[in-house]
Amino acid sequence: MENKCRSIWQRGSWGRLLDLAGDLLFPPRCPGCDELIPIGQEGFCDKCRPQIELVTGPVCMKCGKKVSAEGISLEELYRWRYEAGNTRAQYAADRNPFFAPPTLCDDCRRIPHLYDSGRAVYIYQGTMKQAIYRFKYSNRRQYGRIFARDAVKNPDLRGWLRMIGRPSVIIPVPMYKKKQKIRGYNQAAVFGRALAEALGCEIREDLLTREIDTPALKTLAPEERKQALFRAFQYHGSDVKLNRILLVDDIYTTGTTVDSASAVLREAGAGRIYVLCICIGRGNYSHA
């Protein structure tokens, strides 16, 4: 069944009353420090907000990592803008070079990806690491709404969403069924639902399943990750248009997970595949 929702800022008075009642029963906490915050306030507290870095400015046009290019001039960077061969990204770069970056980061030059373009909301560092840990392992599902709100309020990310167009469907990267049963929820799906509500589009959690219980990927080398995720996902569905997919996950590291999911979606006939993650690391440009 389709799950088309209105924007979270157009929910009406009853929705706001329900949110307030929820805050009274379960007082909101800051995702960064886990301290109580005033009722009616949502998001990071005044102490933690300055420590949270949104992904803005020059980013890799493929994975979306915020990049630095020590010793390289902006003029040199702009000369590389056409190497990815993405005409829509080139057009955006000509209009606003800081939104659509001139080239690929070093990682994306070295490793080809199966999705079209990706972005993330936050830099994965410091206080944000603690927020993600609680979101994943401490049942802080309410954080998903905060992360989605920051995503659509970020001008750079909002511009990217406009450029790629309205998704046909949002698909969260699935967890292995037994692992999800133990945890009680899939954090990527929680984020995906909040994002679907904010964007007013459809989310489907039944289209992809994870058939293999992979080890903790953060402990594996890139090639080991690739082998562990080989054929880990399966696609189930024939009633959904896959012309423009937004694949969502919590953390982007090497891209192996979303590449594996993208491979299955490509086989199912997917057109464009875009990726949006909550957190991502930093990238780098170097001389070719």
Side-chain angles (χ1 to χ4, degrees):
M1 179 181 295
E2 292 187 354
N3 179 17
K4 295 185 178 179
C5 306
R6 292 176 296 168
S7 167
I8 55 176
W9 294 282
Q10 298 175 343
R11 297 174 63 200
S13 58
W14 281 110
R16 289 190 290 272
L17 284 173
L18 287 172
D19 287 344
L20 182 58
D23 287 347
L24 290 170
L25 292 172
F26 305 100
R29 291 179 177 272
C30 168
C33 62
D34 204 35
E35 295 295 326
L36 291 172
I37 58 177
I39 290 176
Q41 181 178 329
E42 187 177 44
F44 293 91
C45 69
D46 294 340
K47 179 181 177 182
C48 290
R49 175 57 70 177
Q51 303 175 43
I52 303 300
E53 185 174 357
L54 296 171
V55 181
T56 59
V59 297
C60 171
M61 68 164 58
K62 190 68 173 181
C63 70
K65 288 179 183 174
K66 186 169 183 174
V67 294
S68 60
E70 187 174 355
I72 301 177
S73 69
L74 287 176
E75 182 181 359
E76 288 176 291
L77 290 179
Y78 294 161
R79 279 203 299 267
W80 294 345
R81 72 167 52 127
Y82 297 108
E83 77 174 46
N86 185 327
T87 55
R88 294 189 73 183
Q90 291 163 14
Y91 172 73
D94 288 335
R95 297 187 65 189
N96 185 352
F98 280 95
F99 165 61
T103 189
L104 305 177
C105 69
D106 292 347
D107 289 341
C108 289
R109 286 179 177 183
R110 189 176 66 255
I111 305 170
H113 295 294
L114 296 178
Y115 59 88
D116 290 280
S117 176
R119 292 293 186 273
V121 188
Y122 310 97
I123 300 292
Y124 188 54
Q125 63 183 12
T127 301
M128 199 62 220
K129 287 186 176 182
Q130 298 302 315
I132 287 292
Y133 184 87
R134 281 189 286 271
F135 181 52
K136 292 176 67 171
Y137 302 112
S138 298
N139 201 23
R140 297 292 198 270
R141 303 185 210 191
Q142 65 271 28
Y143 292 179
R145 188 171 60 182
I146 296 169
F147 301 154
R149 185 194 63 189
D150 279 355
V152 297
K153 288 178 66 177
N154 181 342
D156 287 15
L157 192 47
R158 192 166 61 240
W160 176 76
L161 288 167
R162 280 199 303 267
M163 187 184 76
I164 67 173
R166 182 185 178 87
S168 307
V169 63
I170 291 176
I171 301 178
V173 172
M175 290 179 65
Y176 185 58
K177 190 175 294 185
K178 290 183 179 178
K179 186 177 290 185
Q180 182 172 335
K181 188 175 181 179
I182 292 171
R183 185 175 299 178
Y185 60 100
N186 173 11
Q187 67 277 355
V190 172
F191 173 59
R193 286 180 217 128
L195 194 63
E197 190 176 3
L199 296 176
C201 57
E202 180 184 7
I203 180 170
R204 287 290 295 269
E205 300 174 38
D206 59 332
L207 298 182
L208 275 185
T209 57
R210 196 167 192 150
E211 301 298 323
I212 298 175
D213 186 14
T214 56
L217 296 180
K218 62 184 178 182
T219 65
L220 303 179
E223 188 58 34
E224 292 175 320
R225 289 177 184 230
K226 188 175 180 180
Q227 290 300 321
L229 285 165
F230 181 70
R231 294 295 179 186
F233 300 102
Q234 283 191 13
Y235 176 77
H236 310 272
S238 58
D239 62 332
V240 178
K241 293 181 179 180
L242 300 178
N243 54 308
R244 188 181 291 113
I245 294 169
L246 185 60
L247 193 63
V248 298
D249 204 1
D250 54 356
I251 304 171
Y252 184 103
T253 308
T254 64
T256 309
T257 300
V258 291
D259 276 334
S260 297
S262 296
V264 175
L265 292 169
R266 293 288 187 203
E267 289 179 359
R272 295 283 185 176
I273 300 175
Y274 301 101
V275 174
L276 179 57
C277 294
I278 300 171
C279 284
I280 199 168
R282 295 181 183 274
N284 190 61
Y285 289 139
S286 61
H287 286 287

